[in-house]
Amino acid sequence: MIITIDGPAGAGKSTVAREIARRLGYLYLDTGALYRALTWAALQQNLPVEKPEAEAPLAELATHIRLELAPVRVLVDDRDVTAEIRAPEVSRRVSYVARFPAVRAALLSLQKRIGAGGHVVAEGRDIGTMVFPQAALKIFLVASTTNRAQRRAQDLAKAGYQVDLTSLEQEIRQRDYLDMSRTIAPLTKAADAIEIDTDQLTAVQVIDRILQLIPTSAWRSAKIQ
Ligand code: DC
């Protein structure tokens, strides 16, 4: 059983996916964290990630560094980068890194390997369309740009970053554009995904709605909490 939760930045995927994984006793796979960790590693090496010539070194880097998603921690070659990968300079550049086909190919096989055992709740942009198209339940979360920017601002404030709401909205629009317009695996709803607009819902309400959609067969194998 695989559950996929896709959608644009700030639609509430992480909160919801993490809680559903916890309730089912499933593995939580945050695929954005992999793209972010690679972006962080590239910035350490001063790679000009917005430029086309960065594709080959980025793909090379993706296959040589060890990206690890430990429970609640993200490691690059054993270094804990959990906080660093959420920094604004990574957020601003990660969608450029994610546009390169060679980068996506390298991270696709890693994601498939992590999910090979099943019992996974995976979140991202192309999980229902590309990574796990065979998933039993596919969710696509949407929300207005204003709400998404407000949620991101709250998350960033908790992590100690002060950000201006207008520039955050602009950045979210730019990321949406980059994520939706790329040639490989753009952000798009899978034909068999269920769309949930989170604008008028609390996280608990979204979680409840998704839990109701989970087939009974999955609950039988789940560690119900
Ligand atoms: O969910 P997030 O904000 O942590 O994702 C960071 C970026 O990674 C996002 O702007 C696009 C990219 N991404 C992707 O292209 N495909 C995924 N499956 C997950 C994330």
Side-chain angles (χ1 to χ4, degrees), residues 6-10 13-14 30-36 39 85-86 90-91 94-99 104 111 123-127 131 152 175-176 178-179 182 184-185 187:
D6 287 302
K13 300 184 299 292
S14 300
D30 174 4
T31 62
L34 297 174
Y35 287 94
R36 285 173 178 272
T39 304
I85 64 165
R86 306 285 159 197
V90 172
S91 299
V94 59
S95 288
Y96 291 95
V97 171
R99 277 172 83 79
R104 301 204 71 85
Q111 292 166 73
E123 64 142 302
R125 302 292 188 286
D126 62 338
I127 312 304
V131 183
R152 273 288 142 107
R175 280 176 65 190
D176 283 354
L178 290 169
D179 292 347
R182 65 178 174 235
I184 305 258
L187 166 64

Side-chain angles (χ1 to χ4, degrees), residues 3-172:
I3 299 170
T4 65
I5 301 185
D6 287 302
K13 300 184 299 292
S14 300
T15 312
V16 164
R18 194 178 290 118
E19 178 59 13
I20 291 177
R22 192 188 70 78
R23 297 265 194 113
L24 289 165
Y26 278 21
L27 177 75
Y28 163 56
L29 171 54
D30 174 4
T31 62
L34 297 174
Y35 287 94
R36 285 173 178 272
L38 176 62
T39 304
W40 174 84
L43 295 178
Q44 295 294 107
Q45 300 195 359
N46 294 317
L47 283 180
V49 299
E50 286 101 340
K51 302 203 174 135
E53 59 265 31
E55 180 166 13
L58 274 168
E60 170 87 5
L61 191 62
T63 48
H64 284 94
I65 53 173
R66 195 151 46 86
L67 299 176
E68 236 183 302
L69 298 180
V72 306
R73 286 186 311 140
V74 180
L75 306 174
V76 173
D77 289 332
D78 293 329
R79 171 161 173 186
D80 189 335
V81 294
T82 315
E84 283 98 324
I85 64 165
R86 306 285 159 197
E89 59 268 27
V90 172
S91 299
R92 274 195 297 271
R93 292 186 174 99
V94 59
S95 288
Y96 291 95
V97 171
R99 277 172 83 79
F100 293 122
V103 166
R104 301 204 71 85
L107 293 189
L108 181 65
S109 50
L110 175 61
Q111 292 166 73
K112 282 186 187 286
R113 243 181 295 135
I114 297 173
H119 297 93
V120 180
V121 180
E123 64 142 302
R125 302 292 188 286
D126 62 338
I127 312 304
T129 51
M130 292 293 292
V131 183
F132 302 124
Q134 79 285 14
L137 177 61
K138 299 180 185 177
I139 305 293
F140 195 79
L141 295 185
V142 294
S144 68
T145 316
T146 312
N147 272 346
R148 293 191 284 132
Q150 273 164 359
R151 287 182 194 145
R152 273 288 142 107
Q154 280 167 6
D155 289 348
L156 285 166
K158 274 188 218 149
Y161 296 104
Q162 286 308 318
V163 282
D164 163 57
L165 211 54
T166 314
S167 48
L168 204 56
E169 259 192 63
Q170 251 164 23
E171 189 190 309
I172 281 187

